[in-house]
């Protein structure tokens, strides 16, 4: 499990990859080739465990599969935190080629992945609910960003005193930078919900192996599920102002708090978000 609260987050590795313990600082200095090679080694071993587990139903193999799937999730989060540029490139690249090729997966790719992971009704409902909260949160951040940009008017730029102009630009830039950080953090929290709360380790392993030699995108996956269930589109949810921006922010805080309920003891199971939200959202209103 990632020690995300430390100055240099790290993870223990069980795979014979040459890195008994990986820190985010080490991942930060890896290039795309090194990251792709490391991720590919994990997915290859996950594929071996999946085949063995399906053929023998050996409990030891199943435990190894679960452990490695959790570890792979930690690896991806650590990559996203420390080397976001390379991680983004990995998500749209074929990873088994010496010279990387950009790949765009069709909608049918994600539909097939949903069939392979065999989600339960409760998991489906959880994902659709989190998707709604996720895009509404992104919509809140987008409106805030638009407001920040509108504040940078020509009159502000033309402030008479250079010191005042510089101060205004600096404050505006900090706010805009923080908005970008908040958006990226929201994406990571969304991914964490899928990997560590909604999906079981075996389902995450199936997703990664199914997608290889590419990586799947969580938003594309949940959008495919939404299309199958006649849910609102991404843009409709981002533009939805039926709730205030404050309410959207509070709802997303419940999602973040939900990820904190995942422990080494329950990480191998689906943890109901619907049940968690119903209890804690009601408690929040009472307060």
């Amino acid at each position: 499990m990632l020690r995300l609260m430390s100055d240099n987050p790290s993870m223990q590795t069980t795979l014979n990859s040459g890195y008994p313990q990986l820190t985010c600082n080490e991942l930060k200095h890896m290039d795309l080739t090194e990251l792709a090679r490391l991720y590919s080694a994990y997915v290859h071993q996950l594929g071996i465990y999946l085949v063995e587990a399906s053929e023998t139903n050996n409990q030891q193999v199943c435990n190894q599969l679960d452990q490695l799937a959790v570890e792979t999730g930690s690896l991806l989060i650590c990559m996203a935190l420390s080397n976001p540029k390379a991680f983004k490139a990995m998500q749209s690249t074929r990873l088994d080629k010496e010279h990387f090729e950009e790949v765009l997966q069709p909608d049918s790719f994600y539909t097939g992945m949903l069939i392979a992971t065999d989600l339960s009704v409760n998991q489906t409902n959880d994902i659709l609910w989190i998707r709604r909260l996720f895009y509404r949160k992104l919509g809140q951040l987008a409106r805030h960003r638009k407001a920040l940009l509108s504040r940078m008017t020509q009159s502000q730029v033309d402030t008479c005193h250079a010191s005042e102009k510089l101060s205004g630009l600096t404050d505006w830039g900090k706010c805009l930078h923080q908005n970008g950080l908040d958006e990226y953090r929201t994406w990571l929290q969304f991914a964490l919900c899928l990997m560590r709360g909604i999906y079981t380790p075996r389902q995450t392993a199936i997703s990664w192996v199914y997608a290889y030699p590419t990586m799947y995108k969580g938003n594309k996956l949940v959008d495919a599920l939404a299309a199958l269930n006649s849910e609102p589109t991404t843009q409709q949810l981002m533009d939805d102002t039926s709730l205030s921006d404050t309410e959207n922010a509070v709802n997303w805080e419940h999602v973040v708090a939900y990820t904190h309920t995942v422990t080494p003891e329950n990480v191998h199971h689906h943890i109901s978000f619907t049940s968690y939200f119903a209890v804690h959202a009601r408690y929040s209103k009472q307060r």
Side-chain angles (χ1 to χ4, degrees):
M1 186 72 71
L2 276 176
R3 296 195 293 273
L4 290 175
M5 300 307 294
S6 64
D7 293 334
N8 186 19
S10 63
M11 56 171 283
Q12 299 292 331
T13 60
T14 58
L15 193 68
N16 184 21
S17 60
Y19 299 95
Q21 181 172 349
L22 270 172
T23 67
C24 280
N25 190 52
E26 289 173 315
L27 289 168
K28 179 180 180 179
H29 294 95
M30 290 185 183
D31 60 20
L32 181 57
T33 300
E34 292 174 294
L35 292 177
R37 185 183 300 117
L38 182 60
Y39 175 71
S40 296
Y42 269 87
V43 176
H44 177 73
Q45 187 60 51
L46 285 172
I48 292 173
Y49 283 154
L50 280 170
V51 172
E52 291 181 1
S54 63
E55 291 180 349
T56 66
N57 201 29
N58 182 288
Q59 189 57 49
Q60 181 179 358
V61 173
C62 292
N63 292 340
Q64 290 173 321
L65 170 62
D66 284 357
Q67 179 182 350
L68 193 64
V70 171
E71 192 175 309
T72 306
S74 293
L75 173 68
L76 292 176
I77 294 169
C78 209
M79 284 181 179
L81 284 171
S82 61
N83 204 335
K85 184 177 181 179
F87 183 72
K88 183 178 181 180
M90 284 178 64
Q91 290 183 304
S92 57
T93 301
R94 188 179 174 97
L95 303 174
D96 63 341
K97 298 289 187 180
E98 183 177 349
H99 302 289
F100 296 111
E101 302 173 1
E102 185 173 357
V103 176
L104 296 176
Q105 299 291 4
D107 292 342
S108 57
F109 170 85
Y110 290 99
T111 303
M113 183 182 293
L114 289 169
I115 295 172
T117 50
D118 191 25
L119 297 168
S120 69
V121 173
N122 288 337
Q123 285 177 308
T124 297
N125 291 336
D126 278 357
I127 291 172
L128 294 177
W129 196 346
I130 288 176
R131 175 181 176 270
R132 287 185 176 222
L133 298 179
F134 171 63
Y135 283 127
R136 285 170 178 157
K137 172 64 176 178
L138 291 186
Q140 172 221 325
L141 291 171
R143 286 187 290 276
H144 182 218
R145 183 164 56 252
K146 184 178 180 180
L148 286 172
L149 292 170
S150 68
R151 281 168 47 190
M152 185 46 62
T153 61
Q154 190 62 38
S155 61
Q156 288 174 305
V157 174
D158 292 339
T159 302
C160 295
H161 299 289
S163 60
E164 293 180 12
K165 181 189 297 186
L166 181 60
S167 176
L169 285 171
T170 300
D171 292 342
W172 176 82
K174 287 180 179 178
C175 290
L176 199 60
H177 178 67
Q178 185 59 52
N179 180 273
L181 291 178
D182 290 342
E183 184 175 76
Y184 191 64
R185 186 182 298 111
T186 300
W187 278 90
L188 292 182
Q189 290 161 344
F190 166 70
L192 194 61
C193 277
L194 294 183
M195 289 192 300
R196 290 286 171 83
I198 308 302
Y199 274 44
T200 65
R202 180 176 292 210
Q203 287 172 319
T204 57
I206 290 171
S207 298
W208 291 320
V209 172
Y210 180 95
Y212 194 80
T214 61
M215 296 177 68
Y216 76 90
K217 297 182 178 180
N219 63 311
K220 296 290 187 181
L221 182 65
V222 300
D223 286 349
L225 183 63
L228 294 173
N229 288 272
S230 302
E231 285 284 302
T233 66
T234 298
Q235 199 59 50
Q236 285 173 330
L237 291 173
M238 290 185 66
D239 293 341
D240 183 3
T241 56
S242 59
L243 296 178
S244 70
D245 285 349
T246 299
E247 288 173 312
N248 285 322
V250 169
N251 280 341
W252 190 253
E253 286 304 312
H254 287 304
V255 176
V256 176
Y258 161 78
T259 66
H260 296 162
T261 67
V262 181
T263 67
E265 289 71 36
N266 64 15
V267 71
H268 304 298
H269 308 285
H270 164 231
I271 303 166
S272 174
F273 173 75
T274 304
S275 300
Y276 176 87
F277 189 86
V279 171
H280 292 273
R282 183 169 64 249
Y283 175 71
S284 176
K285 289 177 181 178
Q286 289 173 347
R287 293 184 64 187

